[in-house]
Amino acid sequence: MDVKKPASQENLNGNESESQISHLALDIGGSLIKVVYFLRSNGSGGSVDDSGKKSDPVLEGRLHFAKFETSKIIDCLEFIRSKNLHLAGFRHHDASANDKTLIKATGGGAYKFADLIKEKLGVVLDKEDEMDCLVTGANFLLKAVHQEAFTYVDGQKEFLQIDQNDLYPYLLVNIGSGVSMIKVDGDGKFERISGTSVGGGTFWGLGRLLTNCKSFDELLELSHQGNNRVIDMLVGDIYGGSEYSKIGLTSTNIASSFGKAISDNKELKDYKPEDVARSLLRMISNNIGQISYLNALRFGLKRIFFAGFFIRGHAYTMDTISVAVSFWSKGDAKAMFLRHEGFLGALGAFVSYENHGLGGLKTHQSVQQFAVSETYAGKKMCCLVNEDLNDNESIDFGVAFAA
Amino acid sequence: MDVKKPASQENLNGNESESQISHLALDIGGSLIKVVYFLRSNGSGGSVDDSGKKSDPVLEGRLHFAKFETSKIIDCLEFIRSKNLHLAGFRHHDASANDKTLIKATGGGAYKFADLIKEKLGVVLDKEDEMDCLVTGANFLLKAVHQEAFTYVDGQKEFLQIDQNDLYPYLLVNIGSGVSMIKVDGDGKFERISGTSVGGGTFWGLGRLLTNCKSFDELLELSHQGNNRVIDMLVGDIYGGSEYSKIGLTSTNIASSFGKAISDNKELKDYKPEDVARSLLRMISNNIGQISYLNALRFGLKRIFFAGFFIRGHAYTMDTISVAVSFWSKGDAKAMFLRHEGFLGALGAFVSYENHGLGGLKTHQSVQQFAVSETYAGKKMCCLVNEDLNDNESIDFGVAFAA
């Protein structure tokens, strides 16, 4: 496909030096494509330094986040084309790349859809390792963004002050279609130590089969209204309402997920979809919490950060994971969550345009609005953190690239 | 209900001394009632000692095993009444028990159905702790029964010679409706260290909702014919057929259980029930294998024995659990199974009539047919092991009680 250079490209990709700045990065997973792109602000040209004074010429703008279902990749590519984002990569002076524009991409789909994207957009994907990107994205967020990590207890978010000198090691649990558990020891230093196939794809896949929901978010919303005790077999259901206190099980602990469905003379249609959705969400969230804790314990990791698009800032999901970690650790460990949970990989791919490690990151707490001001690609990069960050499709960051 | 003393009771419960021998024990779980009962053989009166010679008068007979769905407890009680098994307990000379016959029972249903059983059979349940019984039953089997434990690799059972001096500690994973994981350090020495609600009740409960199967065994049989790759999202599905070798994932590893159901424009009715059953069985078996291994690792346990009625001697289940343990341990650990997998609790309750610990158990390998000859309730107890033990409803043991 022949892609014409649009008039607007000049705005995005003004000069040779600025064209080295990445503008689009993709994380193509099994279920979702996560898109991060940078758009220059109108009137861009000034900059803000630590003291808030104007400084050298900069490229100011914002990081935008978007997501698409992987099955609707054509819509995603159309979106990219409509905004000319595919022209905002960088050119590699390597003969094998035929001077094509390179776009940073990660996730399995960067391999699977490389040919399709080349055909549709005329760009070559520069593939970055998935785990690398997740870790880079997590480190970036944890070090650079003010009020990024929080615990969720009894319906309350509590933001954590992360001591950057005491960040490592930690366990990163990324819940996408499947779940990866990564021990992170530093910038670029990590090991994928475990995972589980029972993840977001299981919730959505099984959920679709069991309910008539048309989207993941509809299923999640449905689960909010349900009651898992209708279908789950509780300890009290087995013990006739009693607890089994000798081994620390109360009557309301779930003995068997979906276990009540065995003895009822009911079919699927006799259950409310919201109750089914709730049991499913609880089963999966609890299971992830348990396996994560066991892995953290194994390596003596104090902190577990949960991320990935499965969570969606959903209260019941975070509550179940938190309770699971607390239950299995007997209160010793706490689950932590990230506000930009779904975009770790895409953000890591974005950052990887120039440097994989972000060792030099410093948070400038003095300027709250600009939570990070960092040397990035030889330029200063400031991230503006908006207050309302849970709507992942909105603008989350303002970024300024300064000389 | 008034229960008459039948003529046949004399045969079962001949004299005061023999009435101390337990004849019926129940394990009433969330899904199944497991029944162990002893029936005296015709012409009983001889005994077999180590050398095969006749010895002192004995009560010879066999241990019988039976199971019922807990939801059909009335059928179970009718079965017990039809065989007069409820008259074969023991009498407790304790005023509070009102001289009723006491029957040993374990599992949550021993609490839940105590009143019903008293009403229907006129007997009082003497409740034994569930974990205690599982451990007692497992220790009994592992120490006393020849060729009880085996590994399952590439479709082959390999029986293990258990060194009784090197049996402890081990991890016992009992997969009933839910799953209990118990660290066993000796006779009566154990701790329930973990468990998961994703167990046999989940397979059967979710399986019933997803397929039209009418029984657990039908669902299990169905899964045998299915192909999980139709619904599971494999690493290769995400990576376009490639593997993700850097982190040790091949293209055929499952990335997301049921993950393919998210992107297909298919409803439940468009999938073959056998494929659904297969994915479900694989998800649950793999998950149990993983959590078990992580717990074994945590406590440095070399051996993991899997038991419980979920397994049913089913090849694919054992294979999945074995592969999971091998995969997660990178080949360091092996899953082991027990031939009498489903009756640990009931057997433990049976044994508990007189003594909870079985410290004195010795295996008499010299007499193969009588794999165990043991002092039990002050009497010698021999267990005859039949060759075909996988049909759990058949007679498994022959037992002789000798003076």
Side-chain angles (χ1 to χ4, degrees), chain B residues 124 184 201 230 235 286:
Chain B
V124 173
V184 182
V230 175
V235 169
N286 186 59

Side-chain angles (χ1 to χ4, degrees), chain A residues 112 130 208 237 239 261 290, chain B residues 112 130 195 208 237 239 261:
Chain A
K112 185 174 181 178
E130 190 174 339
R208 266 188 91 237
D237 293 323
Y239 274 77
Q290 181 180 14
Chain B
K112 184 174 181 178
E130 190 174 340
R208 266 189 91 237
D237 292 324
Y239 274 77

Side-chain angles (χ1 to χ4, degrees), chain A residues 31 69 71-72 200-220 222 258 268 273 276-277 280 284, chain B residues 206 209-210 230-231 257-271 276:
Chain A
S31 307
E69 287 181 32
S71 59
K72 294 173 182 164
T202 311
F203 177 61
W204 178 211
L206 259 180
R208 266 188 91 237
L209 298 181
L210 289 164
T211 68
N212 286 318
C213 285
K214 296 299 175 208
S215 75
F216 186 101
D217 290 314
E218 185 189 340
L219 183 66
L220 208 54
L222 199 69
F258 289 88
L268 181 54
V276 173
L280 191 61
I284 293 170
Chain B
L206 260 180
L209 299 181
L210 291 163
V230 175
I231 307 175
S257 293
F258 288 89
K260 255 186 208 155
I262 66 162
S263 54
D264 289 338
N265 287 320
K266 286 182 181 175
E267 294 177 28
L268 182 54
K269 65 178 170 49
D270 300 318
Y271 288 100
V276 173

Side-chain angles (χ1 to χ4, degrees), chain A residues 31 108 112 129-130 177-178 192 195 197 202 208 237-239 244 247 255-257 261-262 264 287 290 297-298, chain B residues 31 108 112 129-130 177-178 192 195 197 202 208 237-239 244 247 255-257 261-262 264 287 290 297-298:
Chain A
S31 307
K112 185 174 181 178
D129 177 74
E130 190 174 339
S177 302
R192 185 187 190 274
S197 71
T202 311
R208 266 188 91 237
D237 293 323
I238 300 177
Y239 274 77
Y244 187 5
I247 56 172
S256 177
S257 294
I262 66 163
D264 290 337
N287 196 61
Q290 181 180 14
L297 195 68
R298 180 180 169 189
Chain B
S31 307
K112 184 174 181 178
D129 177 74
E130 190 174 340
S177 301
R192 185 187 191 272
S197 70
T202 311
R208 266 189 91 237
D237 292 324
I238 300 176
Y239 274 77
Y244 188 3
I247 57 171
S256 176
S257 293
I262 66 162
D264 289 338
N287 197 62
Q290 181 180 11
L297 195 68
R298 180 180 170 188

Side-chain angles (χ1 to χ4, degrees), chain B residues 188-396:
Chain B
K189 289 182 200 154
F190 64 89
E191 185 189 357
R192 185 187 191 272
I193 53 170
S194 197
T196 165
S197 70
V198 187
T202 311
F203 177 61
W204 178 210
L206 260 180
R208 266 189 91 237
L209 299 181
L210 291 163
T211 68
N212 285 317
C213 285
K214 295 299 174 208
S215 75
F216 187 101
D217 290 314
E218 187 189 339
L219 182 66
L220 208 55
E221 180 55 34
L222 199 68
S223 74
H224 191 61
Q225 307 153 31
N227 179 2
N228 75 295
R229 298 184 186 186
V230 175
I231 307 175
D232 289 343
M233 185 187 282
L234 309 185
V235 169
D237 292 324
I238 300 176
Y239 274 77
S242 312
E243 58 187 15
Y244 188 3
S245 55
K246 188 175 169 185
I247 57 171
L249 296 177
T250 67
S251 64
T252 55
N253 280 130
I254 299 174
S256 176
S257 293
F258 288 89
K260 255 186 208 155
I262 66 162
S263 54
D264 289 338
N265 287 320
K266 286 182 181 175
E267 294 177 28
L268 182 54
K269 65 178 170 49
D270 300 318
Y271 288 100
K272 289 186 192 166
E274 53 265 43
D275 296 338
V276 173
R278 181 98 169 186
S279 286
L280 191 60
L281 183 61
R282 179 121 174 204
M283 177 181 91
I284 294 171
S285 302
N286 186 59
N287 197 62
I288 293 170
Q290 181 180 11
I291 295 176
S292 300
Y293 167 68
L294 286 168
N295 276 294
L297 195 68
R298 180 180 170 188
F299 291 98
L301 306 174
K302 290 185 296 180
R303 297 194 185 88
I304 312 175
F305 294 102
F306 292 87
F309 246 123
F310 171 70
I311 301 173
R312 295 273 215 286
H314 190 253
Y316 189 66
T317 307
M318 295 192 293
D319 191 59
T320 304
I321 291 174
S322 298
V323 168
V325 169
S326 176
F327 177 83
W328 292 109
S329 71
K330 292 176 180 159
D332 281 352
K334 269 188 183 172
M336 286 176 268
F337 303 91
L338 300 176
R339 285 201 293 177
H340 297 85
E341 54 189 24
F343 289 99
L344 267 58
L347 211 48
F350 181 87
V351 169
S352 76
Y353 268 99
E354 286 291 334
N355 57 342
H356 287 251
L358 281 167
L361 269 178
K362 286 169 233 145
T363 301
H364 288 238
Q365 302 291 356
S366 59
V367 185
Q368 283 281 335
Q369 197 185 21
F370 293 85
V372 57
S373 170
E374 181 46 30
T375 303
Y376 169 69
K379 295 171 188 298
K380 193 171 172 185
M381 176 174 169
C382 298
C383 290
L384 167 67
V385 180
N386 291 333
E387 279 311 298
D388 179 19
L389 292 170
N390 277 333
D391 179 4
N392 284 315
E393 300 197 43
S394 72
I395 297 162
D396 292 333

